[in-house]
Amino acid sequence: MSQNAPTGHTQHPEWNATVLGYPRIGPDRETKKAMEALWAGRADLAATESALAAVRARTVRRLNALGLPAHDASIPSSFSAYDQVLDTAVAVGAVPERFADLVGADGRVDLGACSTMARGRGTLAPLEMTKWFDTNYHYLVPEIGPTTAFRFADDRGVREFSEALADGFLTRPVVVGPVTFLLLAKAADGGPEGFAPISRLEDLLAAYEGLLAAHAAAGATWVQLDEPGLVSESATARVDGLADLVRGAYERLAAVPGRPRLLVATPYGDAQEFLGALSAVEGIALDLVEGSAPADPSVLAGKTVVGGVVDGRNVWRGDLEEARESLRRMQGSAGRVVPGTSTSLLHVPHDVSRESALPERLRGWLSFADQKVAEVVLLGRALADPDGSGVAAGLADSAAARADRLGASGVVRPQVRDRLAALTPDAFRRSDHAVRRVAQETALGLPLLPTTTIGSFPQTSEIRRARAARSRGELAQEGYEEFLRAEIDRVVQLQEELGLDVLVHGEPERNDMVQYFAEQLDGFAVTEHGWVQSYGSRGVRPPILWGDVSRPAPITVPWSRYAASRTAKPVKGMLTGPVTILAWSFVRDDQPLGDTANQVALALRDEVADLEAAGIGIVQVDEPALRELLPLRTADQAAYLDWSVTAFRLATAGAADATQVHTHLCYSEFGEVIEAIDGLDADVTSIEAARSRMEVLEDVARAGFARGIGPGVYDIHSPRVPSAEEVVGLLRSAVGSVPAPQVWVNPDCGLKTRGYAETTESLRNLVEAARTVRAELLEGTPVAG
Ligand SMILES: CN1c2c(nc(N)[nH]c2=O)NC[C@@H]1CNc1ccc(C(=O)N[C@@H](CCC(=O)N[C@@H](CCC(=O)N[C@@H](CCC(=O)O)C(=O)O)C(=O)O)C(=O)O)cc1
Ligand SMILES: N[C@@H](CCS)C(=O)O
Ligand SMILES: [Zn+2]
């Protein structure tokens, strides 16, 4: 332990249990509502700040009521109005030059300015957004250059700590750690070739020193530094000597005079090779769900070790007896072992007790954030209770809930299993791609650089209101369907007017691309209040996949058939793929994921067949989560890619040669999974590319990818409208990297989060740009990149 360990170490009570973070959105999505009111001009900064403060106050009180004490720093202070990586960037002064005017004279960046960095404004492009490890949460990517002027600049986190303290709660501020911050950052545009943000670690540490000193001055006794970057081999492998950098960084932070104690958390997997480099800190939080206890227990000696035995990412009640045993096994090695969650509870909904519409039996199997807090608190008591008599009933109850789940009817359904067992290899194979291409060219007759969208059109408040009215019983099913048909009419007509080549029905019937399917498949349950943050103000209600899956009736066919009846142009049917349905649901843990994926795939295969029978000649099967589920450990990746590709092929390989199968993946790190994407054997793949200015096409070209590819030319995560000239530039660069006959023109992702004004203008520019570049290609004008 460091010579500079904070004084007064023994004056503070030790924790008995903790969680690494708590949902920030509020039980009724108060944070979303506050931020969206600010963006819409319905609330000013002061009103927004006060709405957010109410969410924070409620959180600390709730955590305290659930059993985490008020005065020992076991309650995390982990709020963020938009994203914790953005907050950290702002805290350490890493505001890109184009946003410099938004920084106040005091170094602070207010909520409006943070929102501009996140969402863009006018010609100001937002920060890039990407997946947070292998989760469905998305963070904003810091942009770091050789001259980024790091300093402790924005003290929002300290103010939030002080606010809780004034309310009577000594919390534990949570900040993204310096190593992870730089591993997740990208090199700012215009910097020297080969510049790596991690090379700025020494400079960044000065800002963290200031941050720790400010927290200490405010009275913080512990600060949690999240270092999940250390569990990701794709991140750590890029940096030579990373363990030494980690060691140096934490020795330097440990030397800050009077600092709070440091808890370094390594959620989402194993950071075994770096634990020895954390000798200077007082605490380590280990993910014991996706990672394991250290092979060399001496790295824990003398430390407070948060044993992350309660799964922060799934919703099943844990096996607490087993959890207690694994914590006990570590007790001999560590200074002190404290039960905790494996990750922040950011990934689970607030409270299962609100789900009164769920069958009671199912509800008894579940644990959301509040229940997980109760689980760690119970485990804390269990560790402190030598004979276990005071906790025996609680532990037995958790074991009984698990047994009840695994034995329930519907968990195993022989007809589903028999059908899967009877499949032959032909069920996973289509004809050669070249053969299919000819059949599809004949059937579809599309122009060079065909234009299309990714499926959803804006989910207007009218659509949401109609759905809400139907749920409340105020709008009959018939009236709701009539409303949806009118919406489809409008969307089809708009696409005709804009001149798009392949039309969609716009997905107005879907609350969410996964939840909608789950609602219509056996084996799933859905929640009423189970919101989880996906990015910024956007949330999802992940379905709960608890039993064997099958499709009682067609799901999307009536909508696609109706759209096709309203136009002579080809209409693309739209399905969510098996991997994404799994990735964005809470999935049963009693069988391999691949088996579950194949059950979902079979249901989708039937849907593809029904779409074909309804005359739909193009079917898109979205797999935006294919990359997200890629295991962080290289050793686990091949097996994952095998089952995920297999499931996609099972879903799609029943399609006729002339049916064009599309897939859509909304991320841009294509390189790592390009072979798997090839293995999906889709005829056309659309991918996110606009924010990264088509960099992704270098991977596509390098891999010799021979199928259709639609690099997104319009970043739909931002309200910004790309000009036709900008899209022309992107398209020229696309056809410069990939043969033009392979290139499709489409946005980065669906348009559901956008408004009609910006959507219409952006799509008009997209079509105009496609026509311009198409003409250049056909007329043989050289296309400059
Ligand atoms: C494509 N993405 C998705 C991901 N994960 C998913 N599960 N789904 C995705 O589409 N991950 C990666 C990306 C990016 N992520 C997202 C996530 C979420 C959204 C989004 O738009 N979320 C909406 C909520 C969508 C929804 O469920 N809508 C429901 C309920 C609507 C509602 O709030 N109703 C009101 C009442 C209506 C009213 O009066 O206005 C209420 O319940 O209070 C529905 O439409 O029925 C969000 O707003 O957060 C986008 C991308
Ligand atoms: N078809 C979906 C894909 C989102 S990843 C949509 O357009 O919203
Ligand atoms: Zn997408």
Side-chain angles (χ1 to χ4, degrees):
M1 186 147 322
S2 154
Q3 296 301 306
N4 296 289
T7 51
H9 200 262
T10 52
Q11 290 167 10
H12 300 286
E14 293 285 359
W15 321 324
N16 291 319
T18 192
V19 295
L20 296 189
Y22 188 77
R24 296 98 59 118
I25 56 177
D28 287 306
R29 294 183 293 160
E30 290 84 351
T31 305
K32 168 200 179 65
K33 291 170 190 165
M35 294 303 284
E36 291 183 356
L38 174 71
W39 299 335
R42 294 193 307 274
D44 62 13
L45 275 178
T48 310
E49 289 286 10
S50 111
L52 301 181
V55 176
R56 292 192 292 269
R58 185 244 172 227
T59 298
V60 283
R61 285 178 196 166
R62 183 77 173 166
L63 287 170
N64 181 231
L66 289 165
L68 296 181
H71 299 297
D72 67 1
S74 60
I75 296 181
S77 175
S78 61
F79 185 75
S80 177
Y82 199 101
D83 168 48
Q84 72 275 13
V85 183
L86 172 64
D87 295 346
T88 308
V90 159
V92 300
V95 175
E97 192 50 41
R98 66 183 179 285
F99 301 116
D101 291 350
L102 302 175
V103 181
D106 54 4
R108 290 180 180 166
V109 181
D110 70 24
L111 286 176
C114 279
S115 302
T116 301
M117 290 175 69
R119 292 159 35 89
R121 196 184 60 207
T123 54
L124 271 184
L127 296 180
E128 197 177 317
M129 187 170 74
T130 196
K131 299 272 177 193
W132 175 248
F133 300 92
D134 56 349
T135 77
N136 192 14
Y137 177 73
H138 305 68
Y139 72 95
L140 292 162
V141 182
E143 295 171 15
I144 304 300
T147 57
T148 300
F150 294 119
R151 66 190 176 106
F152 175 51
D154 183 289
D155 62 351
R156 177 173 289 273
V158 179
R159 284 182 278 135
E160 290 177 4
F161 167 80
S162 299
E163 165 195 272
L165 196 58
D167 203 18
F169 298 95
L170 176 79
T171 59
R172 183 180 77 248
V174 180
V175 184
V176 177
V179 177
T180 294
F181 180 77
L182 291 175
L183 290 176
L184 295 182
K186 65 183 268 185
D189 282 349
E193 185 75 10
F195 170 79
I198 193 74
S199 65
R200 299 290 318 278
L201 182 59
E202 280 296 313
D203 302 323
L204 174 63
L205 289 173
Y208 275 79
E209 287 170 339
L211 181 146
L212 291 179
H215 276 100
T221 54
W222 281 91
V223 166
Q224 175 179 324
L225 293 164
D226 284 342
E227 290 286 12
L230 299 180
V231 312
S232 166
E233 283 176 18
S234 65
T236 57
R238 291 198 308 260
V239 186
D240 289 337
L242 185 58
D244 290 338
L245 291 180
V246 171
R247 180 181 301 283
Y250 279 95
E251 282 176 353
R252 194 170 146 190
L253 295 183
V256 172
R259 67 175 169 83
R261 278 166 276 174
L262 301 179
L263 173 71
V264 175
T266 57
Y268 310 110
D270 243 330
Q272 300 255 351
E273 60 183 302
F274 299 103
L275 297 181
L278 294 171
S279 53
V281 304
E282 290 74 23
I284 298 185
L286 301 172
D287 181 337
L288 296 178
V289 174
E290 285 170 80
S292 48
D296 170 11
S298 71
V299 296
L300 306 180
K303 293 195 193 304
T304 294
V305 176
V306 175
V309 285
V310 169
D311 192 345
R313 298 182 55 184
N314 213 333
V315 291
W316 309 115
R317 286 178 67 180
D319 181 339
L320 299 188
E321 303 247 16
E322 191 188 304
R324 179 179 58 178
E325 287 324 299
S326 88
L327 293 169
R328 279 183 173 162
R329 281 194 295 275
M330 277 196 321
Q331 271 180 324
S333 335
R336 187 178 159 76
V337 174
V338 179
T341 51
S342 58
T343 67
S344 163
L345 295 173
L346 156 76
H347 307 293
V348 293
H350 275 79
D351 182 5
V352 77
S353 70
R354 294 185 72 194
E355 298 300 333
S356 50
L358 281 182
E360 200 179 326
R361 184 171 183 190
L362 173 64
R363 213 167 48 221
W365 304 338
L366 301 176
S367 172
F368 290 0
D370 287 359
Q371 288 68 42
K372 285 174 190 290
V373 178
E375 287 184 318
V376 296
V377 168
L378 179 67
L379 281 169
R381 285 178 38 221
L383 285 190
D385 184 351
D387 68 358
S389 55
V391 292
L395 299 190
D397 203 35
S398 73
R402 186 174 171 84
D404 185 54
R405 167 160 68 95
L406 302 186
S409 77
V411 169
V412 173
R413 294 198 301 135
Q415 60 283 34
V416 175
R417 296 185 176 226
D418 291 349
R419 191 173 166 208
L420 270 175
L423 292 172
T424 64
D426 280 349
F428 300 83
R429 260 196 312 254
R430 297 181 78 195
S431 319
D432 256 16
H433 175 238
V435 173
R436 293 179 343 233
R437 188 168 54 218
V438 174
Q440 291 161 21
E441 275 167 12
T442 313
L444 298 169
L446 293 169
L448 189 65
L449 301 183
T451 53
T452 191
T453 61
I454 303 304
S456 58
F457 268 68
Q459 281 267 337
T460 58
S461 48
E462 290 75 35
I463 300 179
R464 294 210 187 99
R465 272 205 300 273
R467 197 158 27 251
R470 186 202 48 170
S471 306
R472 288 194 299 267
E474 293 161 10
L475 178 62
Q477 181 66 14
E478 209 172 288
Y480 176 61
E481 289 179 7
E482 200 173 308
F483 170 88
L484 292 178
R485 280 193 292 274
E487 182 66 22
I488 292 172
D489 282 342
R490 233 162 52 79
V491 167
V492 167
Q493 200 186 339
L494 174 64
Q495 294 171 88
E496 294 246 20
E497 279 165 20
L498 290 168
L500 285 150
D501 299 309
V502 170
L503 310 197
V504 295
H505 76 285
E507 304 179 21
E509 77 285 9
R510 300 181 194 182
N511 41 19
D512 172 75
M513 60 184 287
V514 166
Q515 187 182 345
Y516 177 73
F517 285 86
E519 281 167 357
Q520 301 190 58
L521 290 169
D522 287 340
F524 283 90
V526 294
T527 66
E528 278 178 282
H529 308 283
W531 292 98
V532 172
Q533 186 182 14
S534 181
Y535 70 88
S537 72
R538 296 290 174 170
V540 293
R541 276 174 294 176
I544 298 164
L545 194 170
W546 60 271
D548 279 354
V549 175
S550 64
R551 184 192 76 142
I555 301 171
T556 63
V557 179
W559 307 117
S560 293
R561 185 197 285 123
Y562 180 72
S565 76
R566 311 298 287 168
T567 177
K569 292 214 167 152
V571 167
K572 184 164 63 163
M574 211 60 59
L575 305 178
T576 304
V579 182
T580 299
I581 289 184
L582 258 58
W584 295 350
S585 298
F586 296 119
V587 178
R588 63 192 290 178
D589 55 0
D590 58 331
Q591 64 180 18
L593 279 178
D595 294 357
T596 311
N598 281 342
Q599 293 182 0
V600 177
L602 265 191
L604 294 170
R605 185 181 178 97
D606 294 344
E607 187 74 9
V608 172
D610 286 342
L611 283 168
E612 271 185 329
I616 304 296
I618 306 181
V619 180
Q620 179 171 305
V621 180
D622 293 325
E623 283 294 20
L626 184 78
R627 167 68 182 75
E628 167 188 317
L629 272 202
L630 184 72
L632 300 175
R633 259 192 300 241
T634 320
D636 302 333
Q637 291 179 352
Y640 160 72
L641 290 172
D642 184 44
W643 73 250
S644 56
V645 169
T646 299
F648 182 92
R649 291 176 73 125
L650 178 57
T652 52
D657 288 356
T659 301
Q660 192 168 66
V661 174
H662 289 216
T663 191
H664 161 70
L665 315 159
C666 39
Y667 50 81
S668 51
E669 297 104 353
F670 211 65
E672 279 180 277
V673 284
I674 186 110
E675 279 172 35
I677 291 168
D678 212 29
L680 297 178
D681 199 21
D683 301 300
V684 179
T685 302
S686 61
I687 49 171
E688 180 186 310
R691 278 200 190 194
S692 56
R693 301 215 42 95
M694 305 276 133
E695 279 164 21
V696 56
L697 287 179
E698 289 163 22
D699 292 327
V700 175
R702 218 182 354 261
F705 190 73
R707 296 151 209 275
I709 179 97
V713 289
Y714 159 27
D715 169 19
I716 60 81
H717 295 106
S718 155
R720 197 177 148 267
V721 172
S723 66
E725 295 71 42
E726 183 181 332
V727 178
V728 165
L730 294 175
L731 283 179
R732 285 181 182 152
S733 134
V735 297
S737 315
V738 177
Q742 279 175 250
V743 176
W744 282 64
V745 183
N746 47 257
D748 264 343
C749 185
L751 302 164
K752 62 191 165 201
T753 57
R754 302 271 53 93
Y756 263 103
E758 76 233 33
T759 292
T760 307
E761 212 184 323
S762 301
L763 291 179
R764 186 166 286 124
N765 292 346
L766 178 150
V767 171
E768 184 188 324
R771 286 183 178 147
T772 303
V773 179
R774 192 182 292 152
E776 287 172 359
L777 290 165
L778 293 174
E779 288 159 15
T781 315
V783 184

